[in-house]
Amino acid sequence: MSVPALGIDALDLDGCPIADLGLDFVLPGHPNIELRRGGRDTAVTIHNLHQYIALVTHWFLVEGVSRQFEALREGFDSVFPVNRLRMFYPEELENVFCGAGLGAATHQRWDVRMLAECCRTDHGFTQDSQPIQYFYDILNNYNRDEQRLFLQFVTGSPRLPTGGFKALTPPLTIVRKKMDGNQNPDDYLPSVMTCVNYLKLPEYSSREAMRQKLKVAASEGSMSFHLS
């Protein structure tokens, strides 16, 4: 919104006056739900816009989902009493439900030895394969943001579970991606099966070639199924 010198009456949304948007006090997308009595006959103007925004927000975040949240609470309580959650700090609950944090204060490099102990190799690769050595070395040098992108790409989550790679279930498995005929592995991106933490890695000719392809795949494919 812009605020011209004419005052509040001249407020607009992308050049369109609020009164010309054709809004009334009806929940967007739900023509049968009035936000207030007589809402269908009450136009939204610059003078009641704050009330309209407050009512829409309240409906979508509180009243409109209260039954669903209560059902969720009852279901959770049947497994773990909600009142016992008070014994945990918020940070502890975040780690349990969302995985280990990767903030600046908790950032740790992924040690090559740890990776070798926690990751599996199969279908053309062994722990002694040169591409696997490239792979571990590349991950060992990742910064916090690169770690998050890689995890999002391979596991579908930007965080590891509490316990790190050792707690990843199933373990991260790296296999050789098959090429047809005379195809050059350096021309292809790695692909993944996030549901089983499964990385299909072409047998790249060099560490740098692998690093570049992993970077592109993690940056461009972490939010889609194009590289599955």
Side-chain angles (χ1 to χ4, degrees), residues 81-221:
V82 174
N83 60 353
R84 295 186 182 179
L85 292 177
R86 296 190 181 95
M87 71 177 68
F88 297 101
Y89 288 109
E91 295 80 6
E92 293 174 321
L93 291 176
E94 182 182 10
N95 282 340
V96 170
F97 292 115
C98 302
L102 287 175
T106 59
H107 173 245
Q108 294 181 347
R109 294 181 64 176
W110 291 338
D111 180 74
V112 171
R113 182 175 179 179
M114 178 276 295
L115 291 169
E117 292 175 350
C118 298
C119 297
R120 291 179 180 174
T121 53
D122 207 346
H123 298 296
F125 283 149
T126 69
Q127 292 290 347
D128 296 324
S129 299
Q130 186 63 66
I132 296 299
Q133 300 306 309
Y134 291 152
F135 178 71
Y136 290 158
D137 186 52
I138 291 168
L139 265 59
N140 173 248
N141 288 283
Y142 272 174
N143 60 33
R144 178 182 60 86
D145 292 335
E146 289 170 326
Q147 287 180 347
R148 289 178 63 88
L149 279 174
F150 175 79
L151 290 174
Q152 181 71 53
F153 173 58
V154 176
T155 71
S157 170
R159 296 181 173 193
L160 287 168
T162 300
F165 265 103
K166 292 182 179 180
L168 197 60
T169 304
L172 176 60
T173 300
I174 310 103
V175 302
R176 184 172 62 185
K177 188 171 187 176
K178 293 182 179 180
M179 300 287 109
D180 295 328
N182 296 321
Q183 292 176 328
N184 183 359
D186 289 353
D187 295 334
Y188 291 84
L189 294 172
S191 55
V192 295
M193 296 170 62
T194 56
C195 55
V196 288
N197 305 325
Y198 198 84
L199 174 64
K200 292 175 279 188
L201 193 67
E203 194 168 3
Y204 295 112
S205 62
S206 68
R207 178 188 180 281
E208 182 59 23
M210 182 182 294
R211 188 186 70 81
Q212 289 291 344
K213 295 301 184 182
L214 281 170
K215 180 179 180 180
V216 172
S219 299
E220 304 295 334

